[in-house]
Amino acid sequence: MADKEILSLGDQIVEYELIGVDKPTIIFLNGFGARMDIWKKVKAELAGVGTLLIYNRTGLGKSSKAKVKQRADIVVATLRDLLKSKQLEPPYVLVGFSIGGLFANLFARKYPSETQAVVFVESSSSNPDEVEILESHASLPLRIIDGIYYFILGLFPNSENWEISVIEESRVLVNEAGVFPEVPVVVLSGAKTSWLRSQALADAGVELHGELASLTSSSRHIVSSKSGHIMVWTEPKLVADAIRIACRDYSC
């Protein structure tokens, strides 16, 4: 297993991990505020499968703090600098968890010839009404917890540069980037309910993910009642199997 490494890209530092030497290159895009260790269980299920690129975006781990607001185009540009520096050739399999799926969505639209397949894991949607749709089904305890979470975020000076503060701008960028390429897509939805996550909220999330599954004719939508949002941790084998499905052209 490879150790984490540090790379200088211009005026910023990126912490990353590169595992394997075979094609395809599988790029892991973390969720908001999630460090690269979130993929620990998934990568263990993918031993010997392609080349895995896992990294920390700005503000996390040993990567530099953000100097500009991290819209999706900024995130994608940094990723491409990392790929170029490490001489990782396309096409790529993009695996996006939560807000990472929004970045994978933009990458695929901007660079269709470099995209082999996309796996959306409990992904954020490019639907401009996503927040309103989900909030309309959220329980009162969940709304209170979310409110406290975002209040605390607002207390930190660097939070204004993080990705969540410009997520609506990122959605616009995705929707204006052009048609999604006709590549294999696998969408994973966690439909598990709890005292915080009502059936209505879970169903709304699945419906939004269905829009991602309609991006191409080569798509597959897998819904699991065993996981909520953090299915990269609760069902790593399911995520790994989805990646294998997406990159089957390389016999992963």
Side-chain angles (χ1 to χ4, degrees), residues 1-68:
M1 194 66 68
D3 293 325
K4 295 175 184 176
E5 298 185 50
I6 299 296
L7 178 70
S8 294
L9 290 176
D11 62 349
Q12 63 181 317
I13 299 295
V14 177
E15 183 180 23
Y16 73 98
E17 188 173 10
L18 197 58
I19 306 167
V21 295
D22 299 324
K23 287 186 175 294
T25 294
I26 305 170
I27 302 167
F28 293 82
L29 292 151
N30 314 339
F32 171 68
R35 301 189 181 199
M36 54 197 290
D37 290 340
I38 195 75
W39 301 103
K40 181 179 179 180
K41 292 183 178 181
V42 174
K43 72 182 183 183
E45 296 283 347
L46 290 171
V49 176
T51 297
L52 313 184
L53 174 64
I54 309 170
Y55 73 108
N56 278 327
R57 295 194 297 275
T58 57
L60 294 172
K62 295 180 180 178
S63 291
S64 302
K65 289 186 177 181
K67 295 181 179 180
V68 297

Side-chain angles (χ1 to χ4, degrees), residues 59-80:
L60 294 172
K62 295 180 180 178
S63 291
S64 302
K65 289 186 177 181
K67 295 181 179 180
V68 297
K69 292 184 178 181
Q70 295 295 295
R71 294 190 319 261
D73 57 334
I74 303 297
V75 172
V76 169
T78 301
L79 171 57
R80 284 175 58 77

Side-chain angles (χ1 to χ4, degrees), residues 139 141-142 145 193-198:
S139 63
L142 182 58
I145 291 172
T193 59
S194 67
W195 66 277
L196 273 179
R197 197 173 194 237
S198 67

Side-chain angles (χ1 to χ4, degrees), residues 63-116:
S63 291
S64 302
K65 289 186 177 181
K67 295 181 179 180
V68 297
K69 292 184 178 181
Q70 295 295 295
R71 294 190 319 261
D73 57 334
I74 303 297
V75 172
V76 169
T78 301
L79 171 57
R80 284 175 58 77
D81 286 344
L82 175 58
L83 292 168
K84 182 178 180 180
S85 178
K86 300 308 298 180
Q87 299 181 326
L88 296 170
E89 299 296 326
Y92 308 113
V93 174
L94 305 167
V95 184
F97 166 53
S98 195
I99 197 173
L102 195 62
F103 304 144
N105 198 333
L106 180 62
F107 189 109
R109 291 170 189 258
K110 290 188 68 173
Y111 307 103
S113 65
E114 298 183 8
T115 303
Q116 170 66 28

